Amino acid sequence: MQLQELEVTRNMKNKFDIRKITGMRLFMPIVCLLAVLLINVITTPGFFKVTLNNGVLYGYVVDVINRASELVILAVGMTLVTAASGGQDISVGATMAVAGAVCCQILSGGQVTTNTFENPLILAMLAAIVVAGICGAFNGFLVAKLNIQPMVATLILYTAGRGIAQLITKGQITYVRVDAYKVFGGYFGKCPIPTPIFIAILFVIIVYIVLKKTALGLYIESVGINGTASRLVGLNSTMIKFLTYVICGVLAGVAGLVASSRIYSADANNIGLNLEMDAILAVALGGNVLGGGKFSLMGSVIGAYTIQALTTTLYAMNVSADQLPVYKAIVVIIIVTLQSPVFKKFMANQKAKRAASKAVAEGGNQS
Amino acid sequence: GNKDAGSSEGGSTAAAGSESGDNITVGFSQVGAESDWRTANSESMKSTFSEDNGYTLIFDDAQQKQENQITAIRNFIQQEVDYIVLAPVTETGWDTVLQEAKDADIPVIIVDRMVDVSDDSLYTAWVGSNFELEGQKACEWLNQYAKAKGLTEINIVDIQGTIGASAQIGRTKGLEDAAKANGWNLLASQTGEFTQAKGQEVMESMLKQYDNINVVYCENDNEAFGAIDAIKAAGKTVGPDGDILVMSFDTTNAGITDTLDGSIICNTECNPLHGPRVEEIIKTLEEGGTPDKQAYVEEGIFAYGSDVPTITVDGEDYEVTEVTQDVIDQRAY
Amino acid sequence: MNKPKKKLNGNSFLLMITILLFIIMYAAGMIIFADKGFAKPQMFLNLFISNAGLLVIAMGQTIVMITAGIDISVGSVTALVCMVVANQMENHGASAFTAVAFALAIGLAYGLIQGFLVSYMEIQPFIVTLAGMFFGRGMTSIISTDMIAIKNEMFLAWANYKIYLPIGTYSKRGKFIPAYIYPTVIIAVLIFIVIALIMKYTKFGRSVYAIGGNEQSALMMGLNVKRTKLKAYLLDGVLAGMGGFLFCLNSCSGFVEQAKGIEMDAISSAVIGGTLLSGGVGTPVGTLFGVLIKGSISSLITTQGTLSSWWVRITLSALLCFFIVLQSIFASLKKKK
Amino acid sequence: MEKDVLLTMRDISKTFPGVKALQHVDFTLRRGEIHALMGENGAGKSTLIKVLTGVYEFDSGVVRMAGNDTPIVNHSPQDAQKAGISTVYQEVNLCPNLSVAENLFIGREPRKVGMIDWKTMNRKSAELLAELDIDVAATMKLEEVSLANQQMIAIARAVDMECQVLILDEPTSSLDDDEVAKLFKLMNRLKDKGVGIIFVTHFLEQVYAVCDRITVLRNGELVGEYQVKDLPRVMLVAKMMGKDFDDLADIKSAHEGKGLGEKIPVIEAEGISHKGTIKPFNITINKGEVIGLSGLLGSGRSELVRAIYGADKAESGTLKVNGKEAKINSPIDAMKLGMAYLPEDRKKDGILADLSVRENIIIAMQAKRGMFKPMSRKEMEEAADKYIEMLQIKTASRETPIKSLSGGNQQKVIIGRWLLTNPEYLILDEPTRGIDIGTKTEIQKLVLDLADQGMAVTFISSEVEEMLRTCSRMAILRDGKKVGEIEGAEMTQEGVMNAIAGAGGDEKHEE
Ligand SMILES: Nc1ncnc2c1ncn2[C@@H]1O[C@H](COP(=O)(O)OP(=O)(O)OP(=O)(O)O)[C@@H](O)[C@H]1O
Ligand SMILES: Nc1ncnc2c1ncn2[C@@H]1O[C@H](COP(=O)(O)OP(=O)(O)OP(=O)(O)O)[C@@H](O)[C@H]1O
Ligand SMILES: [Mg+2]
Ligand SMILES: [Mg+2]
């Protein structure tokens, strides 16, 4: 009996390292990302080739990381909102359009196209981010103060947002054909890496540090898990929820600027179109519960890269864009099934069974 | 103001109305405001059917949803408008509601896309573009241009519009037929959903798969802008002397500006100014006449340089306009 | 000692408020736009004609929302149903009856798979149905990227069969025009009644509420949570299929972009009608009024008819916002009392 | 199987990650007996019950029921119900959004032509409620009913089901003596009908009042099964704790006279009221004093302290803290003034279920410090360890989510949370609810110690005895009104009872 126990502990020690890794919350999301990337080893041999072309990095992988930038930024905000309010902000796509519209309109001084900045770039960008923050604040007010359900509260700007953006641009696409404006969606100076990658990483780091260096992360989780109890321990639930929406709005604004800079124009109808759904998906693929509470920022970031990797992969495989959702749906279901509690329990049971039969066998040998 | 209830007798209500200073009421159901083209189209209607011109326009934006348009038309019928103008989101599915309009004796004028109904008498007239012809014209231009420039091998990729849109269907068909007829190498087709961002993304992907592309057929200007960026980012050049020729449609102001320097080598027009044409039809009806069932708006083709002065499609000649600053300045949209 | 106090509880109070607000809004519309025909009975019936499909879809949505779930795939299920129905009838010679079977089968399949993933695999409903939404839209375009017009005679006969009512109005030209509805309205209203009864008077219906109120408790009280959830999604799927078919009767065609955003309409209708996304609260009657309210907001805007595209969007959501905020204020007033 | 054996559980084991909750436990229930299941917090009582009713799957063991030769396994509470096992779980498990009647009848609604017959259901519910003297209307929504009545409703539901086995997991934790008496009457009636009842409680006197047999668990292991008459109280406690312990020690006398001589008021409330529930109310609480609030269920004790703490906004009145008038709009204001409040409804107002024990302990302290002064990992761990040690919290580790702790241990975590903020004025609303008797005494001692150190404490408990042991003064409430204060010699069981019931006790208030 005692011997057996010893045996078990010894076995555990051997497996200890692997378990520590597989037990980590980010394990599954990372595995999924890698799996998606691995498909390409077979289907698109050149997928991982990165070359220096014309002074910039060039290749599918660069595309994945570059194109995912807006999604990563949005996913960060979405994670916070989800954690604190147990609901999602579906207006982020529209907020991106509003930010793009504000920025371009200020830069063009109200014209449809411009070849020079009519107003300072910094002013335009600040204004855009402030407006996006106000959009977030509006959502936050409805959710936190008036207790309106997040998805419905944000439905208002989801419908109105693009209308407001069109109102700002007078229903036309505003072009800012100035090289300095293309930097945020293109390249900075002689740097061979696309700027959006840096912007995404920068904002992930900023939010990460804010969460680490303040108690905000804990507050958000606490409020998301139980609002009444949080209030009784002295947290201002309303304020914290509100804050997450403002942050989400601001981040959507930043994403909007990147998207707008990529096309050096403000396209009210198309900037950030359907991106809210992908952002929510990213949060879920990162292993987060959409009902709020505990969250993993890095999980969402990985989720965002997974989605873009999938899209780029399918493009590389020549899947037509209108049929792409079918494959996306299948992959998403596979990923979330792998991460589901039921599947995990099933695997754990299998493992336990195997361990048990092994223990029995070994025990038999020893006695 | 729609207070002509008193003067309403018989079929000439509207005519009587306009003579006595009352307006003709027109209900216009628009697709949405999804592009500059659409905005220009709405503007054209609004300026044509203004109060000053003796009309009351009831404008409805369907936000890209057919069901909204069906609802709007039912609403127009209840409002007893004099004419219904419909820019349909889709070609299909109009039988029921157009029958209701017919039952209510309200003439329906279709603009832009055609409707596919079992009974042609459900609408009075149609005004719009011939998207397939646009495609044919563009391809014929390319054919001539290739001959003029001695291009023997054409490796073309198609950045399609939103799948299912009439413009996409027509323009894609034009290209596919021409590719077959002329022995072009149609490498790939992928939708860019009429947007710059998607156009760029799709082009990026195509450039990685094929390094022999020499023509890109973009189904609108926005996609062309994206494609040009992607090509440049890949270290290739566009234009008559570059690696890749970019073709486009719509001839928006921004688009034709790119044609000026050859970035877009050829830009086929898609005219949004339907207002005057529709007004002509209404005038004809007011006077008791019968308008033509179908009226295409005039559309030109714009190109860089003068290598191809005219093209011939289906026995008809079309002049190719060489883009100059003057041409740009004189355009209304 | 036990005097059962007959007091209006929070939820039925909100429902009353919602209904009242609807009546006020509609009455205001009738007064302001009297000269534009808003007061005609047909205008009111049009609300039902245009929203028959949505009403049925929203019923299903209400049920899953009461279980604390959500179904955002309904829009693409509708598109898929329309496409399959159109494709089967026009390209494969199916009859209109077979088409109905196809619509229901698609709904059933969706309900089964999504229900299984949500209840037995415990995957978050939003994600399951988001995948369902992607899948449906993609499948639609795999079937055909062309628009398919339905020309099947029996189908068109169903779609165009006007049922005249003994009420009506005189047109400007003095002609009597009887008010009418289509069979879709009758089907939708019947479904609404059946669902309302199911939710109120069956064990399944009450279990749905219990699960939404507190899933853990429902389990501990001996309810079969998983099976009930599966049934809820199944019913939702079938209703989506049915709603899709009604939608198809209204639009008589199938194409890729069809019914985009219907899911948001269904969700917001349910919410306006008092359903909580967090589950446990909501009624089919509320959702009916939610649909009517959304419908009349659009109708008011169309009747007004001078707004540019972007102002339409802004006004639409401003009205929606006004409505939701008003509700929330009433709700909090009620709570304070 | 013995002739009257209803249910046997043999060699049951159950592990949770990091916890061996049950190890080779045997349990036997006979027809017509009330069988107490005893043990400290975290001993595995609730787990044994949940294993039986199919909430959890067990790792090994066999369950048999009378009249059934093959072992049974319940895979869900539904199966258990079908097998004739009806259960009231430790935390109230009802649906807040449904009416009282529905909560009573869901899953077994009366029908007419296949449809639920609401009329009959409401009538039957009213009857059932009347029978058990529960003062709520059948049509009320459950969330509008007080916790104690919810508890009674849960019991009513379980009792009304035709069952062979009735399980009651700490049903009395939020009931007062009247309700408990009612419950016991009911239990005895069922027992006479031959129902076997499993009864979990931490109140020893209740065990001796109704039970026939006792099974004791300790640390997930079976200690033994005993006849009540063979197991005197002291021995029972010893069996539960694994050491001798005298729970009747007069802890108060040890502290007598240690209190501060001078009376320094910490809290002076004047005319505090709350809409509908609390009529204007004056109270003064001094440094080093433990004030008890006593009254019947629903008399407004909780509401009163909530109004002081700012959890609900007081409608009128002024509040002075340390002699200075204070404006309290929300709990954080109160906390900044040195208050702490342990809410009565642990599940709803207390625990942050998904957060770890550590986070649950430090959250109030962290909130008080503010967002920009986060506690370091080390500080948190030290604080958590301190209170896990001090309150003997049974947890796999400090990083275990609080939701996987046993009910009593969750309560201890919440107590630790507030002690960490080092308050000047501590409000404890039913702090010992669901806590085993060893720890209960510890907590009482702790309260007195804290008072000795100068803390002002308000103590609310439904257990009069406990109040007498800890409080130096008691305020009596009735129907949201303060009807008196008692002190010193008056503070006896009788004195309190009389005060609660009203002068003379003739107009005994019925609940
Ligand atoms: N869901 C769970 N996950 C992990 N551990 C659990 C879970 N439920 C209970 N435990 C652990 O099992 C042990 C036994 O818990 P149980 O709830 O049975 O105790 P109990 O005897 O009912 O105590 P109390 O008197 O406090 O209610 C405890 O150590 C607890 O932490
Ligand atoms: N959750 C609730 N919803 C509605 N009313 C409640 C609720 N809880 C308590 N009440 C009511 O508020 C009044 C005061 O209740 P309170 O909880 O303060 O009483 P208490 O003396 O603390 O009794 P208890 O022992 O139940 O905690 C009572 O009339 C009660 O019925
Ligand atoms: Mg327990
Ligand atoms: Mg209380």
Side-chain angles (χ1 to χ4, degrees), chain D residues 135 140-150 174-176 276-278 294-306 344-345 348 429-430 460-462 477 479-480 511:
Chain D
D135 181 28
M140 246 161 109
K141 268 218 312 193
L142 187 86
E143 60 192 354
E144 293 161 7
V145 174
S146 72
L147 189 65
N149 276 329
Q150 291 188 14
S174 50
L175 301 186
D176 72 3
T277 43
I278 305 293
S294 197
L296 292 171
L297 282 193
S299 55
R301 296 165 296 182
S302 305
E303 306 269 332
L304 173 67
V305 288
R306 285 176 66 89
E344 84 179 310
D345 191 338
K348 190 166 131 265
D429 196 350
E430 310 273 7
I460 301 176
S461 170
S462 301
L477 274 83
D479 290 339
E511 270 299 330

Side-chain angles (χ1 to χ4, degrees), chain A residues 5 212-216 218-219 221-223 225-226 228-235 243 292-294 345 349, chain D residues 309-311 331-332 335 341 347-355 359 362-364 366-367 370-372 374 417-418:
Chain A
E5 233 159 59
K212 270 275 154 272
K213 292 285 164 203
T214 69
L216 186 62
L218 182 62
Y219 285 11
E221 289 183 346
S222 171
V223 167
I225 290 168
N226 187 338
T228 20
S230 301
R231 200 172 89 86
L232 289 178
V233 298
L235 298 181
L243 201 62
K294 286 201 91 78
K345 215 160 93 192
N349 281 348
Chain D
Y309 183 66
I332 187 72
M335 284 166 66
Y341 165 64
K347 194 171 164 190
K348 190 166 131 265
D349 298 333
I351 61 168
L352 298 162
D354 292 325
L355 292 187
E359 287 163 321
I362 59 97
I363 184 79
Q366 178 62 66
M371 194 168 90
F372 298 103
R417 169 194 293 173
W418 290 112

Side-chain angles (χ1 to χ4, degrees), chain C residues 23-36:
Chain C
I23 294 173
I24 293 173
M25 185 173 76
Y26 204 87
M30 283 165 77
I31 294 165
I32 299 169
F33 295 124
D35 61 328
K36 290 190 172 184

